[in-house]
Amino acid sequence: MSRIKIEQPDSYSFSVLIPIRITDINYGGHAGNDSIVSLIHEARLKFLEHHGFKELALGGVGLIMSDLVVEFKAELFYGDTVKISVAASDFSKIGFDLLYKFEKETSDKKIIAVLAKTGMICYDYVAKKVAGLPQSVKQKLA
């Protein structure tokens, strides 16, 4: 069976610390995959806010997720604080990718727990159709 491999960027332009809550924990005793997707969503919103945008107010358009890839590397547990780094890449006429790296620190090292990628498409929610990527957005996020 082939495995997904997410290429990491040379650097990430933004990071946020988010604690793992008890509600993120599944029956296996670690953060569940549904919680990881929620953490990706939270990090994306923080990344956009950092650049002066919102998902529905991105230089005159909104955003809609076209795809999501998650590569699980290590477990996250209740009480862990995860550093989620975010970078934008692969810009096109209508969207871009966001790359995510989840790291947790132990007493002696940093551990990559999750790598993820979301494909983000500019979208006009009123007209219900794909929209062009505003150049001002590309300049700020690149």
Side-chain angles (χ1 to χ4, degrees), residues 13-108:
S13 62
F14 172 81
S15 63
V16 61
L17 296 173
I18 300 177
I20 301 300
R21 307 163 306 170
I22 193 65
T23 54
D24 294 324
I25 305 304
N26 66 13
Y27 57 85
H30 53 241
N33 54 20
D34 56 332
S35 292
I36 298 301
V37 173
S38 293
L39 292 168
I40 290 167
H41 183 64
E42 182 70 22
R44 182 176 61 252
L45 292 179
K46 297 290 187 188
F47 171 79
L48 293 172
E49 284 176 5
H50 173 75
H51 291 288
F53 299 121
K54 295 182 179 183
E55 279 193 322
L56 297 180
L58 189 86
V61 298
L63 281 177
I64 194 166
M65 187 187 306
S66 63
D67 53 61
L68 165 68
V69 178
V70 180
E71 188 179 346
F72 298 97
K73 305 292 237 173
E75 295 172 298
L76 292 169
F77 300 101
Y78 175 70
D80 286 343
T81 296
V82 63
K83 176 183 174 186
I84 305 175
S85 300
V86 184
S89 70
D90 200 22
F91 291 89
S92 72
K93 291 180 181 181
I94 60 169
F96 52 91
D97 287 342
L98 288 177
L99 297 155
Y100 309 82
K101 178 172 65 172
F102 288 46
E103 293 176 289
K104 67 177 181 176
E105 286 191 43
T106 64
S107 59
D108 59 340

